[in-house]
Amino acid sequence: HVWSMEMLAYAALIDGDHATCEALCEIALAARPDNAFNHLVLGDLRNAKADPEGMLKAYERAIELEPSRAPHVLFRRVEALTRLGRHADAVALLAAAPAELQPARVQAALAEAALGAGDAEVALAAAKALAAIGGHESSGAALEAAALRLADRREEARAAIDRALDHDVACARAHYERGRLLAEANDLPAVLGAFGKERPSMTLSA
């Protein structure tokens, strides 16, 4: 049964058995090449195998077959585009996202993508939108600081960092942005102090 083969492929992926998943995906896709679910599983497999180009191609094929799948793979497509260095494409994708789709996550991702694309204006607008969402004041203000730093508006960036830390003194991105500003001012002791307050898991971007 093809449906059983598809589910076995997905189960193999969940178990981390990429070789078995690959083999089963080939069989399932040969039997039903126009089945969106098969392409979604293939996209997840390409993601697990660190193949962003293959990942993006599979997700986009799934959406061609079933447009209703688009919101479910939005952030995975953004991840693939980011890995490929296609930040402007990620910005465009996020800017067109449905308004009801996890607005805080969309605005945060949009700000990061715009920073990667070097678009301070879009990054700042997204960061402000994020900061206006309850519970995201600190992360939004920290991203505002990143956008303002990119725009060479350093005094405003410092003020945004202060706002972020007023909301959450442990905000890693705010400490990182403070460190970047201090580094640009060649204040090494202060830089070490700011970066020392970051969380080890944070992603350093922009």
Side-chain angles (χ1 to χ4, degrees):
H1 296 286
V2 176
W3 178 245
S4 298
M5 195 72 66
E6 293 165 355
M7 295 310 296
L8 285 171
Y10 183 67
L13 176 65
I14 296 299
D15 287 342
D17 187 347
H18 297 163
T20 297
C21 179
E22 184 90 47
L24 293 172
C25 273
E26 287 183 9
I27 295 170
L29 283 166
R32 296 209 299 172
D34 293 335
N35 180 269
F37 179 79
N38 288 338
H39 291 280
L40 290 175
V41 174
L42 181 61
D44 288 348
L45 175 62
R46 295 289 175 257
N47 184 18
K49 297 178 77 171
D51 175 8
E53 191 168 351
M55 171 185 173
L56 187 62
K57 182 178 178 181
Y59 289 145
E60 290 181 344
R61 179 56 179 153
I63 293 167
E64 286 176 9
L65 294 167
E66 288 186 29
S68 62
R69 299 275 190 176
H72 304 291
V73 293
L74 172 68
F75 297 107
R76 280 176 273 180
R77 291 169 71 198
V78 168
E79 179 184 352
L81 289 167
T82 300
R83 290 187 195 175
L84 292 168
R86 294 170 56 185
H87 301 290
D89 290 334
V91 168
L93 185 60
L94 288 158
E100 69 278 6
L101 180 66
Q102 301 181 55
R105 189 177 179 189
V106 168
Q107 294 302 328
L110 178 55
E112 292 284 10
L115 288 169
D119 191 333
E121 184 178 350
V122 170
L124 184 57
K128 287 183 174 180
L130 177 63
I133 299 172
H136 298 275
E137 296 87 355
S138 181
S139 56
L143 284 168
E144 283 184 54
L148 290 163
R149 178 174 56 77
L150 180 62
D152 201 25
R153 293 161 59 181
R154 286 171 170 73
E155 288 303 318
E156 293 173 80
R158 291 186 184 93
I161 290 167
D162 289 342
R163 289 200 310 275
L165 294 175
D166 283 344
H167 284 286
D168 179 8
V169 71
C171 177
R173 183 58 181 262
H175 287 292
Y176 171 70
E177 290 303 329
R178 173 166 283 172
R180 289 289 296 266
L181 286 172
L182 292 169
E184 290 166 3
N186 295 315
D187 188 344
L188 182 57
V191 169
L192 295 175
F195 285 149
K197 294 178 181 178
E198 295 181 61
R199 292 172 186 152
S201 61
M202 80 170 292
T203 299
L204 305 184
S205 61

